[in-house]
Amino acid sequence: MNFTDLGLSEPILKTLSVNKYTTPTPIQAQAIPVVLEGRDLVGLAQTGTGKTAAFALPILHRLSQDIPEGKHKLRALILAPTRELATQINDAIWTYSKSLGLRSCFVIGGVPIRKQKRQLEEGVDILVATPGRLEDLISQKACSLKNIETVVLDEADQMLDIGFMPAIRRLLSQMPKQRQTLLFSATMPKEISSLANDYLTDPFQASVAQVSATADRIEQTVIHMENGAKPTAIFKLVQQHPGKRVIVFCRTKRGSDKVAKKLGSEGIGADAIHGNKSQGQRQRALDAFKKGDKPVLIATDIAARGIDIREVEVVVNYDLPNVPEAYVHRIGRTARAGASGFAVAFCSPEEQKLLRAIEKVIKMQIPAKMADGSAAPNMDRPAPRKVNKNSRGRSGAVTAQGAGVPGGNPNKKPWHKRRTSKLDANGNIVAIDQNEGAPKGKRPRRRKPSGPKSAAS
Ligand code: AMP
């Protein structure tokens, strides 16, 4: 399929060819004709699938068929959960709409409101906004939603996580009932499907096989280690990928700062972005990362949402996320636009539960190893006889059902969790007692402690 088959106007097709977009991505091929028709749509797709162009191109096409003579009225609104995502969507719209005679702007928190008010007063056709700042502007009468023809809710599941649902519902209820609503989400928790039920009319369902399609191109590994071994392990991991861009995800702002400090003290260019950093600091960190001046970016989930940086080769889950879906978002930072990538997760004994929740969501068992590079005991043992038909991996392979993996006896603490391993200051295993608590007959052979190997590959 080609972009010319989708019904887009000549000027848009020209822009696409200038930007070297030749073939529509699957979400674009499904969504563009439907959005051009004016139909509502639910798009199950995450960042990196080309979803921005999937909604932006047909919206631009429709708006550009009717350019107003006088002041431009706000006819299309795109709501995004984070400032970074809003900035990126705005950049994309600016690129795609250069020759169309449409006016667009974006409004986000954390920057002065005055300029945003002025731009809105001058008149725009398209607005990209985060919900909080948009509500501020509406309450100050700087903008109105009464002429909205199309609204996009981008990364709806992230809006839910951040707590934006009440604001989204308030904003939707200020728009004309006769409008087009497009909802994009990487996952479909029940709150999002009920939002779709309440505000969308007979939506077309577009979906791309996001998790497995992404996972196919991402080499995923989990490395088991104590929390105390993580600072050294991250340093070694970054060292093993010279010249590569690495994104490191931490659960807390303080944790991200600590990792940035540790890497900085080892002479590695690293910046942390999180909610305590100003918009300017975040943007400077992103720019330095994009240019390759600082090859490591440490981020919390919220700060990293929607970041579109091509050529991120390695994603590290320094801490496992509390919400398993966040793992999907995190690893989606690599392997973009057809490239391949690595996703490495550091898993402490306290995080085993989180790992199992992630494996349940991604429907596969992530290959595991110990910090010294040896295979993790139990984790990749062959599957025992009992097979649960719901627990097939993406290749159809049966995932292990023993203790410690989804489907195991939930009441019994898995023996491998009771394993005691001792790590030296470099994160290498110096002693391991794999047999502690292991059921008779299932005890793996005692592994010899290996020499000082690298913490991760
Ligand atoms: P998105 O999922 O919208 O964040 O897009 C991910 C990346 O893919 C962005 O850098 C886009 O510029 C790029 N992209 C989107 N659609 C295409 C396409 N059809 N061909 C090539 N690159 C694309």
Side-chain angles (χ1 to χ4, degrees):
M1 182 174 293
N2 213 303
F3 273 112
T4 46
D5 305 325
L6 298 178
L8 293 164
S9 64
E10 271 310 314
I12 292 181
L13 291 175
K14 210 164 155 204
T15 308
L16 293 179
S17 93
V18 169
N19 284 285
K20 304 207 164 35
Y21 285 20
T22 48
T23 319
T25 65
I27 190 72
Q28 291 163 0
Q30 291 178 63
I32 291 173
V34 174
V35 181
L36 282 176
E37 248 175 52
R39 217 175 137 180
D40 284 0
L41 174 132
V42 171
L44 208 55
Q46 67 186 81
T47 314
T49 54
K51 69 177 162 60
T52 313
F55 62 75
L57 298 175
I59 290 177
L60 293 171
H61 172 106
R62 279 164 64 92
L63 295 178
S64 61
Q65 304 298 302
D66 181 20
I67 306 272
E69 297 271 315
K71 189 174 166 184
H72 292 228
K73 283 190 212 137
L74 180 55
R75 294 182 286 156
L77 172 68
I78 297 148
L79 288 167
T82 61
R83 298 163 186 180
E84 282 77 11
L85 182 62
T87 309
Q88 250 167 238
I89 296 171
N90 185 64
D91 289 349
I93 287 185
W94 191 81
T95 307
Y96 303 145
S97 66
K98 264 182 206 156
S99 58
L100 301 178
L102 292 165
R103 299 175 60 108
S104 65
C105 80
F106 74 118
V107 297
I108 56 173
V111 293
I113 201 165
R114 205 166 339 137
K115 188 175 156 210
Q116 300 175 352
K117 281 171 130 172
R118 210 176 46 240
Q119 284 179 313
L120 289 168
E121 268 159 32
E122 284 167 7
V124 293
D125 303 278
I126 308 150
L127 177 66
V128 185
T130 48
R133 178 54 62 96
L134 180 61
E135 285 205 298
D136 278 355
L137 285 158
I138 292 174
S139 71
Q140 296 183 29
K141 307 255 180 300
C143 104
S144 140
L145 305 180
K146 69 177 195 295
N147 295 308
I148 292 293
E149 294 168 13
T150 304
V151 58
V152 180
L153 308 174
D154 199 9
E155 303 209 345
D157 51 355
Q158 305 297 345
M159 304 246 209
L160 174 72
D161 283 357
I162 300 175
F164 277 145
M165 271 310 122
I168 297 295
R169 285 177 178 267
R170 281 194 299 272
L171 289 166
L172 285 168
S173 56
Q174 293 175 45
M175 296 174 207
K177 287 225 157 48
Q178 280 288 1
R179 57 151 205 272
Q180 181 180 37
T181 308
L182 314 175
L183 184 153
F184 287 85
S185 196
T187 56
M188 197 46 68
K190 65 176 185 313
E191 293 89 342
I192 301 298
S193 33
S194 76
L195 182 80
N197 272 338
D198 295 347
Y199 291 95
L200 276 70
T201 311
D202 183 28
F204 179 87
Q205 310 270 347
S207 79
V208 287
Q210 45 198 338
V211 174
S212 54
T214 311
D216 280 345
R217 287 183 280 113
I218 302 177
E219 197 180 317
Q220 299 177 64
T221 311
V222 58
I223 307 175
H224 293 279
M225 66 183 79
E226 301 288 338
N227 269 323
K230 289 184 177 184
T232 304
I234 186 65
F235 168 58
K236 286 189 172 181
L237 187 81
V238 172
Q239 264 191 327
Q240 283 159 5
H241 296 274
K244 301 275 164 74
R245 286 200 190 87
V246 183
I247 293 191
V248 182
F249 284 95
C250 291
R251 203 174 301 131
T252 64
K253 299 170 195 172
R254 229 174 121 232
S256 337
D257 283 335
K258 269 186 168 168
V259 176
K261 210 166 157 199
K262 159 82 184 163
L263 292 177
S265 72
E266 302 281 1
I268 292 173
D271 262 332
I273 55 167
H274 52 65
N276 286 358
K277 303 263 177 174
S278 70
Q279 186 61 21
Q281 284 173 317
R282 291 204 229 176
Q283 201 54 53
R284 277 193 295 281
L286 281 176
D287 291 344
F289 182 66
K290 277 185 190 173
K291 279 194 219 139
D293 295 346
K294 295 209 173 165
V296 185
L297 187 70
I298 300 113
T300 54
D301 286 309
I302 302 224
R305 247 161 226 164
I307 294 176
D308 173 28
I309 299 161
R310 295 202 192 182
E311 289 151 38
V312 172
E313 283 93 350
V314 187
V315 171
V316 183
N317 279 273
Y318 188 87
D319 301 308
L320 292 187
N322 286 332
V323 181
E325 282 82 5
Y327 177 83
V328 180
H329 284 282
R330 289 177 173 190
I331 70 166
R333 307 295 121 198
T334 187
R336 293 215 155 181
S340 57
F342 291 102
V344 182
F346 292 172
C347 179
S348 69
E350 300 78 33
E351 292 174 308
Q352 298 280 352
K353 237 190 192 155
L354 301 176
L355 176 63
R356 286 197 293 278
I358 289 166
E359 291 182 328
K360 212 167 162 185
V361 165
I362 64 173
K363 297 190 178 70
M364 64 175 276
Q365 201 178 1
I366 307 170
K369 59 183 174 182
M370 304 306 297
D372 68 349
S374 61
N378 183 55
M379 292 304 201
D380 44 10
R381 287 185 307 170
R385 281 151 297 161
K386 195 166 166 243
V387 172
N388 172 347
K389 67 177 166 40
N390 293 325
S391 58
R392 288 183 178 269
R394 73 196 142 91
S395 59
V398 178
T399 52
Q401 294 293 299
V405 291
N409 180 352
N411 300 320
K412 192 161 187 261
K413 194 171 181 187
W415 65 267
H416 76 270
K417 275 183 73 177
R418 285 174 264 155
R419 182 190 61 233
T420 51
S421 54
K422 281 204 175 64
L423 304 174
D424 67 13
N426 293 323
N428 295 316
I429 295 184
V430 290
I432 183 164
D433 182 3
Q434 294 166 357
N435 293 341
E436 192 186 81
K440 276 204 173 73
K442 287 198 175 179
R443 297 182 172 202
R445 250 178 276 131
R446 187 181 284 268
R447 210 172 266 122
K448 271 192 197 151
S450 48
K453 275 190 200 158
S454 52
S457 61

